[in-house]
Each structure stands twice: as structure tokens, then as C-alpha cells.
Amino acid sequence: MTYEEFYYSIDCKFPYHQEDEWKRIINKSIEIGNDAPFLVLHEICRVPASEKLDTEKHIKMYKYWKQSFTSPVQDIVEPASLSYINKTEITDSEALDIMEKLLAFPKSYNALQVVLFSCPDDDELVDEKYEKIVAQWKSAT
């Protein structure tokens, strides 16, 4: 399965209430590699308004995702991930700091998006930083 096929198989279809299935998807993302596990993180964090997921189950899903593989990006993006799950926001300044750290991990697009959507971005500085990093990563390929 390609990254693109994987993306379309889970986009807006993540099985939040089917534990065996979300575990399978997490494991599949690790098999695919690169940014795929962070695509899953994005789905885990950004639960659609139409879905109801209690915090305990949400944390369980996140913890399973995190313990399933090792990447320095996991720890960098964790404050943003947990802010989603706990229905809080990090500050724009925190988001900018996290993005600066992610810069060292080219093509971590989904991790970067989790950060982008985890803060209020009142002055649109976070969006601006997001766009700059994406452009920089794309120009390096």
C-alpha cells in the first residue's frame, strides 16, 4: 500500500471506536514509514465534531500510537498532541518553538500540521511559519 492509498483509506474514516482496527492502522502506518505514523497522529488528535470520544479512550489510543515506534519527532510534537486530546491549546509562542525544532526533520508535514492546529494563531504567525517550513522542505527535494 502506498502512502497516498493509505491516506485515502483513513482520511475522515478513522475507526475511533474500533480498537482492533485503529491498532491495525497504527501498525500499518509504521510499516509504510516516513510521515505515515504522523498522518495517523493527525487523525487521532483531530477527532471530527461528529465523533464523541472520551478522554480516557483518546489517551489510550495516543499512548498505543506512541509506544508502537520510536522517533524524535514524537516527543517534539507531544505538547501539541496532548493539547488536542485534552481540548486545550498551546500558546502561539510554544507552537513556534515546536515548529522550529521540527525544521530539523524534513517532510514531517503531518506533525507540523498537528502543531499548526493546536494553538489560537491570533496573529497568523504560526501559519506563516508553517508555510515557510513547508516551502523550505519542498525546495530541498
Side-chain angles (χ1 to χ4, degrees), residues 72-90:
V73 175
Q74 288 173 308
D75 291 330
I76 293 169
V77 81
E78 186 165 63
S81 304
L82 292 176
S83 76
Y84 259 119
I85 292 168
N86 294 313
K87 296 174 178 55
T88 60
E89 291 182 325
I90 60 174

Side-chain angles (χ1 to χ4, degrees), residues 53-109:
L53 185 62
D54 71 50
T55 306
E56 187 179 312
K57 286 182 182 176
H58 208 167
I59 291 287
K60 179 180 180 180
M61 192 181 303
Y62 174 76
K63 283 182 177 179
Y64 182 84
W65 172 86
K66 188 171 182 194
Q67 64 87 29
S68 294
F69 71 110
T70 304
S71 165
V73 175
Q74 288 173 308
D75 291 330
I76 293 169
V77 81
E78 186 165 63
S81 304
L82 292 176
S83 76
Y84 259 119
I85 292 168
N86 294 313
K87 296 174 178 55
T88 60
E89 291 182 325
I90 60 174
T91 66
D92 290 353
S93 176
E94 289 171 306
L96 292 169
D97 288 345
I98 293 169
M99 285 183 165
E100 193 60 39
K101 291 174 186 170
L102 287 175
L103 188 55
F105 300 92
K107 299 183 182 177
S108 296
Y109 298 110

Side-chain angles (χ1 to χ4, degrees):
M1 177 179 280
T2 67
Y3 176 88
E4 190 172 322
E5 290 167 336
F6 181 69
Y7 170 85
Y8 287 112
S9 76
I10 68 168
D11 187 39
C12 300
K13 300 176 208 146
F14 198 80
Y16 297 98
H17 303 288
Q18 298 169 315
E19 186 173 334
D20 289 345
E21 188 60 14
W22 58 252
K23 284 181 175 179
R24 185 193 67 75
I25 288 170
I26 290 168
N27 293 326
K28 184 68 175 175
S29 75
I30 294 159
E31 203 177 287
I32 292 169
N34 297 322
D35 198 35
F38 294 93
L39 171 63
V40 171
L41 175 65
H42 194 256
E43 289 292 321
I44 289 170
C45 290
R46 295 191 72 201
V47 178
S50 61
E51 291 283 346
K52 299 296 177 223
L53 185 62
D54 71 50
T55 306
E56 187 179 312
K57 286 182 182 176
H58 208 167
I59 291 287
K60 179 180 180 180
M61 192 181 303
Y62 174 76
K63 283 182 177 179
Y64 182 84
W65 172 86
K66 188 171 182 194
Q67 64 87 29
S68 294
F69 71 110
T70 304
S71 165
V73 175
Q74 288 173 308
D75 291 330
I76 293 169
V77 81
E78 186 165 63
S81 304
L82 292 176
S83 76
Y84 259 119
I85 292 168
N86 294 313
K87 296 174 178 55
T88 60
E89 291 182 325
I90 60 174
T91 66
D92 290 353
S93 176
E94 289 171 306
L96 292 169
D97 288 345
I98 293 169
M99 285 183 165
E100 193 60 39
K101 291 174 186 170
L102 287 175
L103 188 55
F105 300 92
K107 299 183 182 177
S108 296
Y109 298 110
N110 286 294
L112 200 60
Q113 281 191 355
V114 168
V115 179
L116 174 64
F117 296 116
S118 68
C119 65
D121 197 17
D122 295 325
D123 300 320
E124 297 185 18
L125 296 174
V126 180
D127 185 57
E128 186 178 310
K129 178 80 169 178
Y130 171 85
E131 295 297 335
K132 283 181 182 175
I133 291 172
V134 168
Q136 186 175 340
W137 286 344
K138 286 184 177 179
S139 71
T141 32

